[in-house]
């Protein structure tokens, strides 16, 4: 196939678009791949659409290879299934809603768990029907508060979403693994550098969950990784190794001290060190107790929850929310303190919590035998040498403390460092949330119903175009990996000479006959303009037919390395076929 | 490729769906191609999606072949361009509208003239850039008052819409012709029986316009065709041949008669025939004058318009609207008659209209020299022998009279007969409506601006699945043309014998290796169930591996003709490849 730039609907831009913050946005617009139509809404011009379709083809091939079956749902969906699952409310303003001419409520589908569940329920009934994996590659909608970075976070975008339906947890584990492996193959084929991070489930509810993040300093997602092993996780999913327990016997008694004006950790540590207690205290020796209130879905009643963390760390509310999901979490208001006078602000200790029946969860570092300086539930008083397991017994542990660079990696190898990435995929053991909501059962061999367990797996297909561009570009333009490039070879006719034009046409025709996708720059433009456009457009191999033709040579340029090579004109086609591996 | 029915997400239904009115709806649901999700919203199950994709591929190939370039727009579009073109208002309740979280207005795109025009304006500036043809294959939305017949008239559907941009009318004519020819190739390849009818433009505004209708008794569109020639047209587009003019000299004088109680044509004709005027009158000898009011777009003022038709025909308001487009047309209300006392209901004649400056258009049969009995603008009075060209002179002609079966065909060959079809394509010379709205100009060689002229061309891609099914089915099920079938060969393993299963598997594998798409019925089901499903699903060639295998033969069945043939097992693959032409 030959695409002629003389008639291609493509006009490159010399200037960066004013609203472009990241390289992919800047270059995809400048190189004429996409155009902005609305906030978070982009049109795909011919070259952009080709890259998108190439990515779709890779995704489709790998989904088909694991036996997933492609179907397609409408994007315009009735309210009822989303009301049944609770997501009509949960999504809040993030979903586009509308009414039809009869006043019935609809939404533009953000994901399709409800519809897939209902469809499987409609078709299947026996345990013999299962397992099944279904997917679609479809346009989806989210009313993002801040659409940004071009197609990286749009309001209309293409996703591959798939869903697995299994009879038992082992089946789900197998479907999950099949998808996870397929995702690895997909992202490898697309030439991406990525990490697989342990993730919490976000608004989806469920159990095992991993995200695929394309490594990019411009990414919106932060994560941590070990500086030594392959460990990587969302901050919300980092687990804290517990230190060994220590003996309770023979330890000093807990002692209450009058500690005037020490409502903060810093003032407390200073006071204790000045009090000459025979040792030096650091913030890590103190126990900070933070109170929140929580409410389970569907409940009206808020409950108090005490959270204890070492005093040198802040409580990370996102980690708390992830740990307590699906419950709502809120900080206390003045009225809450007024209603619970045993909570003495700045001096809260485990004692008053236990005495008043407040659930108390602590950081995993707070193990039996560790001694702490903490509040004594009385203004201007703290207790020192309060021993976990002797003087107080928490109700459990919680991942609530902030994660810091330099913390030991949970896998025991190296320490954590922070990094940024773009979420490109998510695999997720949904469990029975939706099969419970819609009573999706299979009739077992024993005629008893088996509640189906589900997995949900997503890939941001249009976002991948941007993610790949973020990783594959230089200061001159895009540098596409071969698997997604809009053409295999960019043939540049450089010069006005009739023979040069004929030579370029001839090579393009020969390549095309051999199945090579050729972008042929046959425009009336200067070689300088054509070279600059070739760099900007980013086809991996550039063939320049120019002055050298008089000496029987053409130039092959590798867009990625910048390497150039002169090749005899009549060997060029075979040489290029060799490069392309075809 | 082998698709195994043992794991395929397909459950055929024995019963017709309760809401199915037409064969395609009934069979596409029963055979497991589509499922209803919402009013006018359907999901595509695996086999249905394959048929849809096959059709898309044919459409795409023929669009690419004429040099049209594929791009893709969002479906969620901002209000502003549609407000600029006037369509935000014109569409009325037929378009889905919504607001985003900031309260900005959006719509779900029904067609994309505005966006294509703006995009070309954004990229192109010189006359050297033109012509260009762009297209997309995209999900579109219309809030149909009565979605019906499954995917035949849905509210979410797939369309191919393309647009041509030319510097002059000859260019537009060429682009139009290219599309028209491509559509003929597409519909021929898809195995459709169709007619190309002259059409009016509907809500789109513009000039030359033809519709492609798939012939189907269940179609929503009526049209007329000649019983002898290839002429076919929408009723709105039928033109009436004018009879020859007749001399004005030597004709009887017009005479006013007192005709008490004759406000209708029937009572008038009876009265005249009883009045013994020396000849017999029929309704065709009378001139019926109907008053409407019209308003041009953007105007507030309504204007009266008199329409004269032979008294044996009704005025067809749809034809009037088509003839007067883009003006609005409305019937008169009592208040209008009150405000214009010269309009004497039941007795309106050309005289009062002329005297009061009311524009008067007549049916093309009313030519100079024809004599009419018509109202005398006075209660209970008519005039006879009122001669066109002598006693009254219309302001022009209008296609307002109803079209009837038996009317002469406008091309002079045969008479018109009525028929029904499904609109599957539309080619349309838009002209400058949108380039005017958005000031789309090219800078000419003389540095003067050239206003671009546009064409718009649509194919209902998802509707084609239903249209093909309407034409290709029998009482047992679907009968797909080879080009769109979800598989090439349906291999049925008929029997529990191990050897039969092995034989079926072996043939399927051999066919697959040769590039044949095989649907393999490897289910544990009776031959009867499998045969019935094979007929229902409608793959064009069915290969039965059953009891005959013991004698070394398999059976090849042609789904369309029902023809069966026994073939030696070891010749079956070559035989099938021959059938498939591969």
């Amino acid at each position: 196939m030959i695409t002629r730039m003389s008639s291609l609907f493509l006009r490159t831009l010399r200037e960066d678009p004013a609203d472009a913050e990241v390289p992919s946005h800047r270059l995809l617009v400048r190189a004429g791949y996409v155009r902005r139509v609305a906030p978070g809404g982009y049109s795909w011009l011919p070259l952009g659409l080709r890259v998108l379709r190439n990515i779709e083809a890779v995704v489709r091939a790998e989904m088909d290879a694991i036996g997933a079956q492609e179907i397609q749902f409408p994007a315009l969906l009735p309210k009822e299934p989303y009301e049944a699952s609770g997501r009509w409310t949960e999504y809040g303003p993030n979903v586009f809603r509308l009414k039809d001419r009869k006043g019935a409520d609809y939404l533009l589908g953000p994901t399709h768990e409800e519809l897939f569940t209902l469809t499987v329920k409609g078709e299947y009934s026996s345990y013999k029907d299962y397992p099944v994996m279904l997917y679609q590659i479809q346009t989806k909608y989210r009313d993002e508060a801040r659409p940004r970075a071009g197609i990286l976070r749009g309001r209309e975008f293409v996703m591959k979403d798939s869903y697995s339906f299994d009879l038992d947890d082992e089946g789900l584990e197998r479907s999950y693994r099949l998808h996870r492996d397929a995702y690895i193959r997909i992202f490898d084929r697309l030439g991406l550098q990525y990490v697989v991070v342990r993730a919490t489930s976000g608004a989806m509810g469920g159990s095992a969950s991993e995200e695929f993040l394309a490594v990019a300093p411009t990414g919106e997602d932060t994560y941590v990784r070990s500086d030594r092993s392959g460990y990587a996780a969302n901050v919300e999913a980092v687990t804290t190794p517990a230190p060994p327990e220590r003996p309770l016997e023979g330890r000093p008694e807990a002692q209450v001290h009058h500690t005037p004006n020490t409502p903060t950790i810093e003032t407390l540590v200073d006071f204790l060190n000045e009090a000459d207690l025979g040792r030096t205290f650091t913030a890590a020796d103190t126990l900070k107790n933070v109170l929140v209130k929580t409410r389970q879905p569907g409940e009206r009643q808020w409950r108090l929850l005490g959270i204890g963390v070492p005093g040198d760390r802040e409580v990370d509310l996102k980690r708390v929310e992830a740990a307590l999901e699906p419950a709502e979490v809120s900080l206390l208001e003045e009225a809450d303190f007024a209603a619970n006078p045993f909570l003495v602000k700045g001096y809260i200790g485990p004692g008053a919590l236990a005495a008043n029946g407040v659930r108390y969860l602590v950081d995993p570092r707070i193990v039996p035998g560790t001694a702490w300086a903490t509040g004594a539930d009385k203004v201007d008083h703290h207790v020192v040498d309060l021993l976990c397991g002797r003087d107080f017994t928490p109700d459990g542990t919680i991942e609530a403390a902030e994660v810091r660079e330099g913390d030991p990696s949970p896998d025991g190898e190296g320490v954590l460092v922070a990094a940024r990435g773009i979420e490109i995929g998510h695999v997720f053991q949904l469990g029975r949330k939706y099969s419970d909501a819609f009573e999706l059962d299979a009739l077992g061999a024993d005629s008893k119903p088996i509640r189906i367990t589900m997995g949900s797996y997503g890939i941001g297909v249009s976002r991948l175009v941007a993610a790949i561009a973020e990783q594959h570009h230089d200061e001159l333009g895009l540098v596409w990996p071969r698997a997604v490039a809009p053409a295999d070879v960019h043939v540049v006719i450089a010069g006005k000479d009739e023979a040069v034009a004929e030579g370029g046409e001839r090579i393009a025709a020969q390549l095309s006959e051999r199945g090579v996708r050729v972008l042929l720059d046959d425009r009336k433009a200067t070689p300088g303009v054509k070279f600059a456009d070739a760099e900007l457009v980013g086809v991996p191999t550039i063939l320049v037919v120019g002055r050298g033709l008089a000496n029987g040579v053409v130039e092959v340029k590798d867009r990625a390395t910048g390497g150039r090579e002169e090749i005899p004109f009549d060997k060029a086609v075979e040489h290029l076929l060799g490069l392309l591996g075809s």
Side-chain angles (χ1 to χ4, degrees), chain A:
Chain A
M1 191 185 66
I2 300 178
T3 304
R4 291 176 179 277
M5 287 185 71
S6 59
S7 56
L8 181 62
F9 190 63
L10 170 76
R11 291 295 178 269
T12 57
L13 308 178
R14 296 202 185 162
E15 304 291 331
D16 289 340
D19 62 337
E21 306 154 17
V22 299
S24 63
H25 185 188
R26 194 162 51 79
L27 291 170
L28 289 169
V29 171
R30 279 193 51 210
Y33 284 68
V34 299
R35 287 289 180 263
R36 185 177 181 280
V37 170
Y42 282 78
S43 57
W44 297 89
L45 298 191
L47 295 185
L49 191 58
R50 287 195 197 171
V51 174
L52 182 67
R53 296 268 190 264
N54 291 341
I55 294 172
E56 283 181 15
V58 169
V59 172
R60 183 172 283 121
E62 294 293 346
M63 284 294 104
D64 291 344
I66 61 169
Q69 302 182 54
E70 189 174 4
I71 69 178
Q72 185 143 0
F73 280 101
L76 179 67
L77 300 170
K79 174 177 72 171
E80 290 69 22
Y82 287 81
E83 211 163 38
S85 71
R87 293 210 296 175
W88 177 260
T89 312
E90 273 171 33
Y91 267 120
N94 294 314
V95 75
F96 286 105
R97 296 157 203 268
L98 66 158
K99 286 181 190 292
D100 73 0
R101 63 196 297 153
K102 290 177 180 164
D105 284 309
Y106 285 79
L107 55 80
L108 297 181
T111 61
H112 279 63
E113 281 77 358
E114 288 82 353
L115 277 296
F116 275 85
T117 309
L118 284 168
T119 297
V120 170
K121 183 181 165 89
E123 305 298 313
Y124 279 2
S125 54
S126 159
Y127 72 98
K128 294 177 191 163
D129 295 329
Y130 291 88
V132 65
M133 298 188 290
L134 301 171
Y135 77 99
Q136 61 177 350
I137 296 178
Q138 201 218 21
T139 302
K140 298 205 181 294
Y141 298 85
R142 265 178 225 166
D143 196 355
E144 294 282 352
R146 279 174 301 279
R148 63 176 283 276
I151 55 172
L152 213 42
R153 180 169 290 279
R155 302 203 292 178
E156 173 166 348
F157 50 93
V158 181
M159 263 191 74
K160 188 283 298 178
D161 51 330
S162 42
Y163 305 89
S164 63
F165 299 84
D166 281 280
L167 293 169
D168 51 34
D169 292 348
E170 295 70 47
L172 170 57
E173 183 59 44
R174 194 163 46 239
S175 299
Y176 181 88
R177 178 62 50 179
L178 281 171
H179 271 89
R180 192 183 190 279
D181 292 348
Y183 279 28
I184 287 172
R185 285 190 295 273
I186 288 166
F187 298 132
D188 285 348
R189 283 177 65 175
L190 297 178
L192 280 160
Q193 192 198 340
Y194 60 94
V195 290
V196 189
V197 302
R198 288 163 181 79
T200 54
S201 49
M204 313 278 288
S207 56
S209 171
E210 288 167 289
E211 281 175 11
F212 290 74
L213 300 180
V215 178
T218 53
E220 275 193 315
D221 291 277
T222 55
Y223 66 98
V224 290
R225 59 179 180 79
S226 164
D227 67 347
R228 215 172 294 163
S229 72
Y231 176 87
N234 267 351
V235 170
E236 286 82 353
V238 170
T239 55
T240 309
E245 296 188 10
R246 295 172 53 196
L248 302 177
E249 292 80 37
R251 307 287 296 280
E253 288 290 302
Q255 284 196 323
V256 175
H257 291 266
H258 181 228
T259 56
N261 299 315
T262 56
T264 66
I265 296 295
E266 196 181 15
T267 52
L268 173 62
V269 169
D270 286 351
F271 184 94
L272 293 175
N273 282 331
E274 281 165 26
D276 198 18
L277 295 173
R279 53 187 157 127
T280 306
F281 287 84
T282 71
D285 300 315
T286 69
L287 171 61
K288 173 158 56 182
N289 295 303
V290 173
L291 267 286
V292 298
K293 51 185 183 179
T294 71
R295 183 164 70 172
Q296 294 299 323
E299 286 191 4
R300 299 184 58 183
Q301 179 89 34
W302 290 94
R303 283 165 212 273
L304 289 179
L305 172 68
I307 296 174
V309 298
D312 62 333
R313 290 183 187 258
E314 296 301 324
V315 165
D316 179 336
L317 206 60
K318 278 195 172 177
R319 280 174 43 84
V320 172
E321 285 169 344
L324 297 177
E325 213 192 357
E328 272 181 276
V329 179
S330 175
L331 295 172
L332 295 204
E333 293 152 33
E334 280 307 320
D336 297 307
F337 284 101
N340 296 285
F342 61 91
L343 298 176
V344 184
K345 261 196 191 174
Y347 301 93
I348 299 172
L353 300 180
N356 290 278
V358 176
R359 188 169 158 78
Y360 183 51
L361 302 176
V362 296
D363 182 88
R365 281 169 277 246
I366 300 165
V367 292
T370 53
W372 303 92
T374 190
D377 299 311
K378 197 169 148 190
V379 172
D380 291 346
H381 286 78
H382 281 92
V383 57
V384 173
D385 281 325
L386 195 75
L387 205 62
C388 180
R390 180 189 72 187
D391 302 325
F392 69 101
T393 306
D395 295 309
T397 61
I398 183 169
E399 290 293 349
E402 59 177 331
V403 173
R404 292 196 199 133
E405 289 198 282
D407 283 348
S409 177
D411 68 352
E413 296 186 56
V415 296
L416 296 178
V417 292
R420 298 182 79 85
I422 299 164
E423 186 184 339
I424 50 176
H426 192 177
V427 289
F428 183 32
Q429 297 187 11
L430 265 182
R432 296 179 175 81
K433 171 173 174 172
Y434 292 94
S435 50
D436 282 345
F438 297 105
E439 299 186 335
L440 173 60
D441 292 328
L443 200 64
D446 58 0
S447 297
K448 286 183 187 158
I450 303 166
R451 183 63 37 108
I452 295 301
T453 181
M454 291 169 58
S456 128
Y457 318 91
I459 287 182
V461 176
S462 49
R463 175 180 287 181
L464 275 174
V465 177
I468 295 169
E470 286 292 327
Q471 292 189 353
H472 296 273
H473 70 270
D474 59 22
E475 67 288 358
L476 298 175
L478 296 158
V479 188
W480 294 111
R482 214 165 273 291
V484 302
D488 297 311
V489 178
H490 192 144
V491 176
V492 176
I493 296 175
K496 292 180 180 170
D497 211 22
E498 187 74 10
V500 166
E502 273 174 24
E505 292 280 351
R506 181 133 40 102
I507 285 195
Q510 289 169 353
L511 287 169
S512 177
E513 272 166 32
R514 303 288 289 269
V516 175
R517 300 167 306 146
V518 177
L519 185 61
L520 174 63
D521 198 343
D522 58 346
R523 295 176 298 170
K524 286 182 183 128
T526 65
V529 165
K530 292 184 176 186
F531 294 150
D533 277 348
E535 306 281 4
L536 183 57
V537 164
V539 172
T541 301
I542 301 168
L543 178 80
V544 180
V545 182
R547 278 177 304 186
L549 193 64
N551 306 319
V553 293
V554 294
E555 187 182 82
V556 175
K557 184 171 171 188
D558 184 296
R559 174 67 186 90
T561 65
R564 296 152 185 274
E565 215 179 339
E566 289 204 332
I567 305 286
F569 177 79
D570 47 13
K571 298 244 164 68
V573 170
E574 290 305 323
H575 178 83
L576 288 169
L577 290 171
L579 279 183
L580 300 174
S582 56

